[in-house]
């Protein structure tokens, strides 16, 4: 039985890691070598692809644009979702469950449903081709998910803690920031992780709502076709660099994510 489990885990790791290895392998090859045949490692390793990524403004600015709107989206989503989730977890009011379900229906809708309204609205108010436009558009999908996740964590905190803090003379902002938020840190970590994942990899809204100045990396990677064809080496190098922020986020919130999956509703 132990041998079978080890074999299953080995097959799974190979299935997951082989595409990543192949991406890294291609990033150190020239186009001629990539198209010339199949090889498990570069025969003539080159850093030219990475040099293009870090020296051409169209590439490195696209990374900065992505990092900017993803960071803004995570911050806005958490700032909006934390008080909303607290209200859903602590108070009962007319239509609370219906409103909670309505929030989730926004998350279930595909981004293409809201593409035209966002495009016309942002073009009219002058937000088209700006990072904040993509960040706000992604909030429509991340805020409901954040509220749903955080409400589950907040509901697990006894209400007696709130009452005790008020008896001790804490104001609500002081209690919420100094006592309540540290108790749900795993939930905040899980929420930030999922908000980052959606906003970093989402393509349709990010490509439609940007043009030149705020073009993100996911859009830039789809526009690598030139007169000589697709530059596969540069595209592979861009993919490798695009993995790094996700790896960094997972590393910093790994403990919170583990606790969140164990304790929360995720």
């Amino acid at each position: 039985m132990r041998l079978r489990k080890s074999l299953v885990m080995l097959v799974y790791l190979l299935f997951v890691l082989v595409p990543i290895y192949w991406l890294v392998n291609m990033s150190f090859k020239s186009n001629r070598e990539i198209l010339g045949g199949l090889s498990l490692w570069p025969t003539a390793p080159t850093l030219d692809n990475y040099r293009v990524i870090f020296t051409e403004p169209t590439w490195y600015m696209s990374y900065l644009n992505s990092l900017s709107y993803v960071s803004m989206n995570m911050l806005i989503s958490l700032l909006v979702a934390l008080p909303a989730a607290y209200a859903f977890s602590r108070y009962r009011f007319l239509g609370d469950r219906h409103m909670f379900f309505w929030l989730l229906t926004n998350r279930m809708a595909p981004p293409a449903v809201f593409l035209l309204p966002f495009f016309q609205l942002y073009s009219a108010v002058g937000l088209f081709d700006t990072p904040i436009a993509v960040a706000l558009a992604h909030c429509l999908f991340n805020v409901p998910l954040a509220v749903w996740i955080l409400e589950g964590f907040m509901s697990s905190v006894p209400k007696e803690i709130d009452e005790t803090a008020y008896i001790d003379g804490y104001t609500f902002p002081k209690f919420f920031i100094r006592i309540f938020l540290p108790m749900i840190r795993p939930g905040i970590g899980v929420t930030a992780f999922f908000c980052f994942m959606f906003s970093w990899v989402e393509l349709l809204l990010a490509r439609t709502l940007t043009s030149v100045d705020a073009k993100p990396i996911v859009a830039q990677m789809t526009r690598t076709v030139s007169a000589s064809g697709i530059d596969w080496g540069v595209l592979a190098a861009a993919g490798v660099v695009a993995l790094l922020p996700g790896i960094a986020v997972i590393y910093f919130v790994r403990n919170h994510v583990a606790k969140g999956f164990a304790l929360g509703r995720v």
Side-chain angles (χ1 to χ4, degrees):
M1 181 62 68
R2 183 176 299 177
L3 179 61
R4 290 180 180 177
K5 291 182 179 180
S6 300
L7 288 176
V8 171
M9 182 61 65
L10 179 61
V11 171
Y12 174 75
L13 289 176
L14 288 175
F15 181 78
V16 172
L17 295 179
V18 165
I20 298 177
Y21 167 75
W22 209 257
L23 184 70
V24 176
N25 180 30
M26 289 177 59
S27 69
F28 291 103
K29 294 180 179 180
S30 63
N31 260 4
R32 178 176 297 181
E33 185 177 353
I34 292 173
L35 299 175
L38 185 67
S39 59
L40 296 179
W41 49 80
T43 56
T46 178
L47 293 175
D48 291 342
N49 299 320
Y50 290 96
R51 191 174 295 111
V52 171
I53 297 298
F54 291 110
T55 57
E56 291 192 5
T58 54
W59 280 107
Y60 66 74
M61 285 304 300
S62 65
Y63 280 102
L64 296 179
N65 291 333
S66 292
L67 289 173
S68 64
Y69 75 68
V70 169
S71 301
M72 285 189 288
N73 175 259
M74 289 175 59
L75 180 62
I76 296 172
S77 296
L78 287 174
L79 289 177
V80 173
L82 282 169
Y86 182 85
F88 279 116
S89 67
R90 288 296 188 265
Y91 304 108
R92 292 294 174 262
F93 50 89
L94 182 63
D96 55 348
R97 295 295 96 183
H98 297 290
M99 184 178 294
F100 196 69
F101 176 76
W102 174 77
L103 281 174
L104 291 178
T105 58
N106 288 340
R107 184 62 180 85
M108 297 173 187
V113 173
F114 304 98
L115 194 60
L116 183 59
F118 275 135
F119 179 79
Q120 290 187 331
L121 177 63
Y122 291 156
S123 298
V125 299
L127 288 179
F128 177 75
D129 200 21
T130 60
I132 188 64
V134 184
L136 292 175
H138 286 174
C139 283
L140 181 65
F141 301 93
N142 279 340
V143 168
L145 179 65
V147 172
W148 183 71
I149 295 174
L150 290 171
E151 193 271 341
F153 283 91
M154 291 180 180
S155 296
S156 64
V157 178
K159 294 183 180 179
E160 288 75 13
I161 294 178
D162 307 39
E163 299 169 357
T164 303
Y166 297 146
I167 293 174
D168 291 341
Y170 279 84
T171 61
F172 177 76
K174 188 177 180 180
F175 155 74
F176 193 73
I177 295 174
R178 298 185 60 180
I179 297 178
F180 196 76
L181 290 185
M183 298 181 69
I184 59 166
R185 277 184 297 182
I188 296 175
V190 171
T191 304
F193 172 72
F194 279 101
C195 289
F196 172 86
M197 279 204 312
F198 173 82
S199 193
W200 184 256
V201 304
E202 197 279 327
L203 172 61
L204 187 59
L205 289 172
R207 182 171 183 176
T208 305
L209 300 178
T210 59
S211 178
V212 178
D213 295 334
K215 183 168 60 176
I217 184 58
V218 290
Q220 178 64 28
M221 291 178 67
T222 62
R223 300 170 182 173
T224 57
V225 181
S226 62
S228 58
I230 299 177
D231 199 336
W232 297 105
V234 172
L235 190 59
V240 172
V241 179
L243 292 175
L244 299 181
I247 295 174
V249 169
I250 292 174
Y251 176 80
F252 285 113
V253 303
R254 65 190 186 281
N255 294 329
H256 294 317
V257 170
K259 292 179 182 178
F261 277 101
L263 302 176
R265 59 171 49 179
V266 180

